[in-house]
Amino acid sequence: MSDVPDGEGAQARPGPAAADTATRLTTGALARRLGVSPTTLRSWDRRYGIGPAVRTDGRHRRWTPQDVAVLESMCRLTSTGVPPAEAARAAKESAATEPGGAPAAPRAPEPASRARSRAAGALPLGDVRQECRGLARAAVRLDAPAVEEQLAAAVETHGLAVAWQEVMVPTLHAVGRKWASSGDRYIEVEHLLSWHMSTALRRCASPPARQGDALGAGPVLLACVPGEQHTLALEALNAGLGELRLPTRMFGAAVPVEALTAAVDRLGPAAVVLWAQSRSTASLPLARHIAGAQWGVKGARRRPVVMLGGSGWIGRSGQGMLRPTSFQDALDTLAGLYAAGAPTAPS
């Protein structure tokens, strides 16, 4: 989109100053790009002089590409554990130039220990959305306000399904890979990121629909199998179903067999989603037991549709049970059960 009003392109073209202004970022846009909070940027400016070279009207910050380069260096250093004051000095020194705009004299090679430390702070994200990189940087710095802002912006911009599949999941997987390859380091990063993802997903979730509201069918019951503590994927599915106004009942982590069976008997769910992230927790006998549960009067007894979710079920024969291939597939499949008017499987 051009900054020149329609019909004026032939009479006026932006000069160098206007073009330079157009390339400058606002503080909010830069914060999203870097994965920090606007408050953090203002704090760095105030404390360490890491601020924009130019301010419009003397107050509003506008960040040039040169300013951005300094901040990117600052973020890389702080993510490896360098104290902010030291990182600020190093970032400003690395951006210094000789008179006339020539690059500064080459620096001595970086010590191998510092290079390893710098590499350790980077998460193996691969080819992902830009938001993943900002979110990962914020998480590695344990910058909770920035993590929360990044997650809220992703949901608002892309919607829940895309934010979960293309922003949250890749970032969480990258943190998990880093933790697995770093000798138990970065566990705190994974915990902080998981907590704020859970918070963001719960904020997205609509209030649970009553069974009599609109559809009049039993709810979707979501539960982790016994021994399974990972709930984020179920929380995302619960939020997605809530957006579709489908009734759900979320039971969370490591639901005991007796409690799960009692919940099925009491609720008469249209479907039961059993989540198992680990093969050690995925129990086909349990899944078959739930699939065989029945309720209702004689001659019109019903049983639930069972959906198996999570990598723990891979390679397991869940004949007669639903096996979604993705988050969106799970949403579409469960929504289809209600749309078809047959939300439970007949006995």
Side-chain angles (χ1 to χ4, degrees), residues 180-196:
S181 64
S182 301
D184 287 344
R185 292 181 60 201
Y186 299 98
I187 294 178
E188 72 282 4
V189 176
E190 184 175 24
H191 278 250
L192 179 135
L193 187 59
S194 297
W195 169 260
H196 285 285

Side-chain angles (χ1 to χ4, degrees), residues 27-346:
T27 297
L30 180 57
R32 290 189 292 273
R33 173 172 171 174
L34 296 176
V36 302
S37 68
T39 301
T40 297
L41 292 182
R42 288 189 286 270
S43 174
W44 285 353
D45 184 8
R46 184 176 63 256
R47 294 183 180 183
Y48 313 119
I50 301 289
V54 178
R55 300 170 194 263
T56 61
D57 301 330
R59 294 179 295 106
H60 299 290
R61 293 170 170 83
R62 287 293 186 272
W63 305 80
T64 67
Q66 292 76 20
D67 299 327
V68 174
V70 175
L71 280 167
E72 287 176 336
S73 179
M74 175 88 170
C75 289
R76 283 194 298 271
L77 291 168
T78 55
S79 70
T80 64
V82 177
E86 181 183 339
R89 285 194 297 269
K92 287 189 287 187
E93 288 173 5
S94 68
T97 58
E98 296 290 348
R107 289 179 160 275
E110 183 178 43
S113 59
R114 176 64 62 84
R116 285 194 297 270
S117 177
R118 188 190 300 277
L123 295 178
L125 285 163
D127 184 16
V128 294
R129 286 182 176 271
Q130 182 64 35
E131 293 96 330
C132 295
R133 303 187 186 283
L135 180 59
R137 285 193 289 265
V140 169
R141 289 195 310 276
L142 304 182
D143 188 344
V147 168
E148 189 166 310
E149 290 174 6
Q150 291 279 322
L151 291 170
V155 172
E156 182 178 357
T157 302
H158 303 295
L160 174 65
V162 172
W164 168 249
Q165 295 177 102
E166 300 184 20
V167 178
M168 298 187 202
V169 170
T171 306
L172 195 61
H173 283 177
V175 172
R177 289 193 298 271
K178 195 67 179 176
W179 165 66
S181 64
S182 301
D184 287 344
R185 292 181 60 201
Y186 299 98
I187 294 178
E188 72 282 4
V189 176
E190 184 175 24
H191 278 250
L192 179 135
L193 187 59
S194 297
W195 169 260
H196 285 285
M197 285 183 177
S198 177
T199 301
L201 291 169
R202 293 190 188 193
R203 285 175 177 166
C204 293
S206 302
R210 297 182 183 278
Q211 288 183 234
D213 291 352
L215 296 169
V220 177
L221 190 156
L222 303 105
C224 289
V225 297
E228 181 58 69
Q229 298 293 334
H230 297 86
T231 64
L232 278 177
L234 278 187
E235 291 178 45
L237 186 58
N238 183 61
L241 292 170
E243 283 191 339
L244 298 175
R245 301 303 302 162
L246 299 181
T248 66
R249 295 295 182 270
M250 174 66 165
F251 287 85
V255 182
V257 174
E258 296 80 3
L260 184 57
T261 301
V264 170
D265 289 342
R266 294 177 61 186
L267 291 171
V272 177
V273 181
L274 298 176
W275 182 264
Q277 193 156 313
S278 168
R279 286 183 61 84
S280 64
T281 61
S283 169
L284 277 178
L286 170 61
R288 295 191 186 105
H289 174 70
I290 297 301
Q294 297 186 20
W295 59 85
V297 298
K298 186 175 181 180
R301 296 180 69 77
R302 311 289 290 178
R303 60 186 177 87
V305 174
V306 172
M307 174 178 283
L308 305 180
S311 56
W313 301 106
I314 294 176
R316 305 292 178 91
S317 176
Q319 186 174 3
M321 303 179 199
L322 301 177
R323 301 289 293 271
T325 58
S326 68
F327 174 77
Q328 190 63 54
D329 183 31
L331 280 179
D332 293 342
T333 300
L334 292 169
L337 292 175
Y338 287 89
T344 58

Side-chain angles (χ1 to χ4, degrees), residues 5-17:
D6 291 343
E8 297 183 8
Q11 288 78 23
R13 292 180 180 277

